[in-house]
Amino acid sequence: MPADLTPLRIVLAEDGVLLREGLSGLLERFGCTVCAAVGDADALVAAVREHGPDLVVTDIRMPPGFTDEGLRAAVRLRREHPALAVVALSQYVEQSYAADLLDSDDGRGVGYLLKERVADVADFVATLRRVAGGGTVVDPQVVRQLLRRRRDPLSRLSEREREVLGEIAEGHSNNAIARRLHVSEAAVGKHIGNILAKLDLPPDDDVNRRVLAVLTYLRGGG
């Protein structure tokens, strides 16, 4: 089996029984292995310690408080298991939650998605694989809302550069961005170079600088 089709070993945390069972079944049908499907944050932590999965998919709001229990458990697990990839699911755009999760391990191997994205199961599973491979994926609706809210240091960027940064935040490669924006890949590379320079990001490997750009994008300069 090709490496990119190797079954992902997933621990799923969702308090809604119907959604939890339905999503678990869908993931299994699309070639994933659901090691455990649990309904609260404590059970999530225990399941990860027991099964050592590749990826955690967790709701943000979990019992007993239904605030940020799932998020806090995910961040805790990332500290304990730095190689663990995490995708957080939310019913609504909650900006602080996205930033908190992406602060863990420099934002590598994390995703922040709205639950409605689960409806397109093939795309959802492709996103899970991207995150499990170390990528950073932020839901397009989160990106659009943050674009409307944020100013400094993003005010330094041109409209096209903000558009390209939004595509990076969604996890797209240079080639994919070029196709989506109907420009050349060389033009995308130039825009990315300008973005990294304007955001004063330190010299580092390209992947890490892209993640830092996404973090800057989410924080909007703090």
Side-chain angles (χ1 to χ4, degrees):
M1 179 179 291
D4 61 343
L5 296 181
T6 301
L8 284 178
R9 300 180 66 256
I10 297 173
V11 167
L12 171 66
E14 162 61 50
D15 66 283
V17 176
L18 291 179
L19 179 56
R20 182 171 71 243
E21 295 303 317
L23 184 54
S24 179
L26 287 171
L27 290 173
E28 292 277 0
R29 280 174 50 197
F30 274 74
C32 300
T33 299
V34 178
C35 304
V38 301
D40 62 70
D42 289 341
L44 167 60
V45 172
V48 169
R49 289 172 177 169
E50 178 181 353
H51 297 285
D54 305 309
L55 176 74
V56 162
V57 178
T58 181
D59 191 2
I60 284 176
R61 297 187 174 190
M62 301 277 284
F66 293 97
T67 54
D68 61 352
E69 286 87 351
L71 170 73
R72 287 188 280 112
V75 173
R76 174 183 173 186
L77 287 167
R78 292 267 290 177
R79 286 197 299 265
E80 294 180 5
H81 312 278
L84 178 65
V86 172
V87 170
L89 300 177
S90 179
Q91 192 71 39
Y92 310 103
V93 176
E94 299 175 278
Q95 169 191 332
S96 62
Y97 292 158
D100 287 345
L101 179 62
L102 283 160
D103 272 332
S104 64
D105 196 31
D106 293 330
R108 296 173 185 265
V110 296
Y112 179 90
L113 303 176
L114 297 185
K115 287 186 177 180
E116 63 191 52
R117 282 282 291 275
V118 177
D120 186 338
V121 182
D123 180 68
F124 179 62
V125 172
T127 298
L128 297 186
R129 290 190 177 279
R130 193 181 307 159
V131 173
T136 305
V137 179
V138 183
D139 195 281
Q141 288 195 38
V142 178
V143 170
R144 284 193 288 271
Q145 290 209 20
L146 292 173
L147 267 177
R148 289 197 293 268
R149 296 174 186 172
R150 294 312 197 183
R151 294 295 180 265
D152 295 326
L154 300 181
S155 60
R156 307 177 200 170
L157 305 184
S158 69
E159 182 177 350
R160 175 61 90 180
E161 288 164 354
R162 289 196 298 272
E163 193 172 14
V164 170
L165 181 53
E167 295 289 331
I168 293 173
E170 292 178 28
H172 298 299
S173 66
N174 287 17
N175 181 267
I177 294 171
R179 285 186 277 108
R180 289 166 64 88
L181 299 183
H182 307 291
V183 298
S184 69
E185 192 168 348
V188 172
K190 182 177 179 180
H191 287 312
I192 292 174
N194 290 339
I195 290 166
L196 298 175
K198 289 180 179 181
L199 295 181
D200 299 322
L201 295 177
D204 203 339
D205 66 275
D206 183 59
V207 172
N208 192 45
R209 295 180 84 199
R210 289 169 75 99
V211 171
L212 289 172
V214 172
L215 293 175
T216 301
Y217 185 46
L218 288 169
R219 298 188 190 106

